[in-house]
Amino acid sequence: MQRRKRRIATAVSAVVSSLLLSLSVSAPTAHAATHDPIVFVHGISSSSSSWDEWVDYFRADGYTAAELDAWSYSWSQSNVTTASQLSTEIKNVLARTGASKVDVVVHSMGALSSRYYLKNLGGTAYVDDFVSVAGTNHGTSVASLCSWLYTSCAEMSTGSSFLTALNSGDETPGGVSYATYWSNCDEAINPDSSALLSGATNVGVGCISHTDMNNDQGVYEQVRDFVQ
């Protein structure tokens, strides 16, 4: 009887061991996020909702909700203040997702606070790709319409002290990959060439209006391919 019990116990042990081995081989391992999280920065007189279509496009192309961070800020304040808030936002995204870097995709005036963050607040350590869509990188004469009213708009005016400092030296600092997407009939950026950055991949997308640039599907596809 004792011998029979030992045989049964041995057999059960063998089955359990086999099952455990099978589980250890076949069980899926945890995977890190497959994409850098994207932080979207809107422009003047706008909000995070300006990115709704692109967020939907990115989700359709495999990004998770956690990897897509469209946030709002007070666009009338100094771009320096917004840059500091962007720094905090990016740190929160990295902590929440466990990623080591983010991609930053900006529209219009959003380029100024984001580039200030990269140049002056250590942002190059936390950003992999920077994408400027219709960015007012070298200012625009159109800003004279609101420069008397809003600090951010005054900073966006061609030749402002803010822009002079921002564009001094290297316009694309650090190991970040930079790209700009610009239109040759952008009514909000004058001259159109203001959107380009020295050292970036500068892509002309044809005649697309300023407000359509960051919901156009063709531009989206080019941006998606750049950041992946």
Side-chain angles (χ1 to χ4, degrees):
M1 179 64 71
Q2 292 299 324
R3 185 179 301 168
R4 182 181 177 187
K5 288 181 179 179
R6 285 197 296 270
R7 285 201 300 267
I8 292 173
T10 300
V12 169
S13 177
V15 170
V16 170
S17 297
S18 178
L19 286 172
L20 290 174
L21 178 62
S22 174
L23 287 171
S24 67
V25 171
S26 61
T29 56
H31 293 282
T34 55
H35 311 100
D36 289 334
I38 299 176
V39 176
F40 298 92
V41 186
H42 63 77
I44 196 167
S45 190
S46 189
S47 70
S48 61
S49 64
S50 66
W51 297 105
D52 285 353
E53 289 186 61
W54 278 23
V55 167
D56 287 343
Y57 292 156
F58 272 109
R59 292 194 68 174
D61 283 332
Y63 281 71
T64 66
E67 293 171 334
L68 302 168
D69 183 66
W71 66 294
S72 294
Y73 61 91
S74 177
W75 53 262
S76 62
Q77 67 191 7
S78 170
N79 287 288
V80 176
T81 302
T82 302
S84 178
Q85 293 171 347
L86 175 61
S87 177
T88 299
E89 183 72 13
I90 288 175
K91 288 177 181 177
N92 289 340
V93 170
L94 293 175
R96 184 173 70 246
T97 62
S100 58
K101 290 189 176 184
V102 301
D103 296 330
V104 175
V105 177
V106 309
H107 179 242
S108 192
M109 192 185 71
L112 304 188
S113 57
S114 302
R115 290 182 54 218
Y116 188 96
Y117 161 70
L118 289 168
K119 181 172 184 174
N120 299 303
L121 302 181
T124 56
Y126 304 105
V127 176
D128 186 19
D129 300 312
F130 171 82
V131 176
S132 168
V133 179
T136 55
N137 289 302
H138 292 271
T140 173
S141 63
V142 177
S144 62
L145 298 174
C146 58
S147 60
W148 61 276
L149 189 58
Y150 301 119
T151 300
S152 60
C153 202
E155 292 170 345
M156 188 170 56
S157 298
T158 305
S160 71
S161 58
F162 174 87
L163 285 173
T164 299
L166 182 65
N167 291 313
S168 64
D170 189 356
E171 294 185 358
T172 52
V176 179
S177 296
Y178 292 82
T180 76
Y181 295 83
W182 63 281
S183 166
N184 61 3
C185 59
D186 189 327
E187 72 285 0
I189 300 181
N190 184 31
D192 297 331
S193 60
S194 174
L196 281 64
L197 285 172
S198 178
T201 298
N202 296 298
V203 182
V205 297
C207 187
I208 302 175
S209 75
H210 186 77
T211 54
D212 285 340
M213 281 283 283
N214 67 326
N215 53 42
D216 182 87
Q217 185 164 12
V219 178
Y220 159 75
E221 290 172 354
Q222 295 183 73
V223 171
R224 175 203 62 199
D225 293 346
F226 182 82
V227 300
Q228 285 185 338

